[in-house]
Amino acid sequence: MNLSQEEEENSLSLSKFESMLKTNKVFFFDSEEFEDIILHYMDTGRLNLAKKALKLGLEQHPKSTGLKLVHVEMLVYEDKLDIAEKLLNELYAIEPTNEEIYIQKANIYSKKDDHNKAIEFLKIALEYTDDYADVYSMIGMEYLFMDNLELAKENFIRCLDEDTEDYSALYNVVYCFDFLDQNEEAIVYLDKFINNNPYSEVAWHQLGRQFYALKNYEKAVWAFEYATIIDDSFLGAYMEKAKSFEKLKKFQEAIDCYTTAIELDDPSSFVLLRMAKCYERLKNIELALSYYLKTVHEDPLLDKGWIAITDFYIRQKDFQKALYYVNKAIGIDGENPMYWKRFAAVNSALHLFEEAEYGYRKAFECGDVNLDTFTLWTDVLQFLGEFETAIEILLEATNLFNEEYEIEYRLAGLYFTKNESIKGNFHLNNGLRLNYNNRTLLKDYFPVVWERTEVQKQIAKFVK
């Protein structure tokens, strides 16, 4: 009720001030009203109006320390740090116990990247302030700027000890725990916090996130459930709970949570995509496809949506439709190696080997240097009879993947195919040395080479 009344008074002051500007009449405001007006305009980025209000305020209240401190804040905002510091020194001579002077001094040093000095002034401000929470939060931020996460965390916790409803500080505490990989410690802290503040939906939500990070999905669901009971419109908690249900393979429960999320807010492509995947896991192919299509309808430029439909049709072994949709994804992001790799795989399934080879080459050019990209690419080149090119690519791959039996057996097969037996024997021996049990890879990809007498002799000799 008090907050509502305060907001109403601020709104009336703003209306009165703006009316004064339009009519050129001069109305009287007390100094605190001017402070609120100025800060409102600064917060909303209307600096010209803030300056007008400051000018009129100082004309009506030339000795107001509060207005002069707002003037300092404006100077700091505009990076006029020397002028701001000079004005603060004048104010210090008048009111040396005013905590706002030290806070503004801290802001100046923070802007100068002297965070240690800023902290010194904030600690002095603690001696005079009644608002400990705010000052502890500012000290925490200074330590964050210095990448001192432990001391930042300590001060945000002190802030929350003073004001349990400072959710910004709560998020910052959890951020510190996360950054320090202290999930277990975060759970201990949040448990304690919730014991004192059982109806804090934000704390329950953050507790769920910690359990999720530790892969304790049952506990994560439990925590997110409390967050949604306390606030049945907490969109983020429903989303996190749905993701936890997915990890537990409880896909219908996940769908129910995503459905609630859609009811709370306009459907996002992310939610629709997750629902599609859940329906597919439930073997409800018709609804899965429906939601995949809704995903790309909601956001036609979402390449992940198009690639998800591609994968759906690959799983359904409908490669013609898969090819149509992977081309859509490539049209949106033609530099994504994953999409070119998918393009290659689909074309390979359709026995369009030239197109498949082009896809693997593009994937490589876009930065894909995974082992299977090289092996699949050279397998396609083998089908095309491009043995020399396949050998060149595999030899290049050995610079990245030294001692890989998959490369060695393929090189052996290609060299034997080209009747270069010395090189063939060399790479066959390497393959056998690296992984004798998978020697049938040569048989799978080069059955004719496998049957050759010299190859069988080499294998037999290796066994001896």
Side-chain angles (χ1 to χ4, degrees), residues 244-425:
S244 301
F245 275 130
E246 283 194 65
K247 292 292 186 181
L248 293 167
K249 302 190 186 308
K250 295 183 177 180
F251 300 109
Q252 186 55 58
E253 290 87 340
I255 289 167
D256 294 340
C257 289
Y258 286 130
T259 301
T260 303
I262 286 175
E263 290 168 359
L264 290 172
D265 197 10
D266 292 334
S268 71
S269 54
F270 172 81
V271 174
L272 294 169
L273 183 57
R274 296 312 315 164
M275 290 180 76
K277 289 180 182 292
C278 287
Y279 277 120
E280 189 175 358
R281 296 298 294 271
L282 290 170
K283 310 295 184 190
N284 192 332
I285 302 306
E286 188 176 331
L287 270 176
L289 179 57
S290 168
Y291 275 90
Y292 280 127
L293 293 172
K294 284 179 182 178
T295 300
V296 293
H297 177 76
E298 180 67 27
D299 186 357
L301 295 179
L302 181 71
D303 45 0
K304 288 180 182 177
W306 295 110
I307 211 70
I309 302 178
T310 301
D311 289 343
F312 170 80
Y313 279 118
I314 289 174
R315 288 188 289 272
Q316 299 300 311
K317 301 195 182 304
D318 188 339
F319 298 110
Q320 285 290 354
K321 285 185 178 176
L323 184 59
Y324 171 79
Y325 286 106
V326 77
N327 277 320
K328 286 276 192 180
I330 288 170
I332 296 167
D333 182 4
E335 299 299 314
N336 191 319
M338 181 180 73
Y339 300 162
W340 282 111
K341 201 166 178 177
R342 214 69 114 260
F343 172 88
V346 171
N347 276 294
S348 188
L350 291 167
H351 301 292
L352 301 172
F353 296 116
E354 288 188 2
E355 289 82 351
E357 189 277 327
Y358 175 73
Y360 287 123
R361 179 154 38 91
K362 287 291 291 182
F364 170 72
E365 288 171 358
C366 291
D368 186 343
V369 290
N370 290 304
L371 175 62
D372 68 332
T373 301
F374 289 111
T375 56
L376 291 167
W377 186 8
T378 53
D379 291 343
V380 169
L381 285 165
Q382 181 197 336
F383 279 118
L384 293 170
E386 299 284 345
F387 304 128
E388 197 63 50
T389 306
I391 288 170
E392 287 175 12
I393 291 167
L394 287 170
L395 289 174
E396 184 177 342
T398 59
N399 295 322
L400 295 169
F401 302 98
N402 192 22
E403 303 271 284
E404 282 288 347
Y405 74 91
E406 292 186 57
I407 293 176
E408 295 299 331
Y409 281 126
R410 282 176 170 83
L411 281 169
L414 288 164
Y415 277 123
F416 277 122
T417 300
K418 292 183 74 217
N419 293 316
E420 296 185 34
S421 297
I422 294 174
K423 290 181 180 178
N425 279 315

Side-chain angles (χ1 to χ4, degrees), residues 1 22 86 143 199 203 279 320 330 412 433:
M1 177 64 99
K22 288 175 185 175
K86 183 180 177 184
Y143 279 121
Y199 297 105
Y279 277 120
Q320 285 290 354
I330 288 170
R433 175 176 55 81

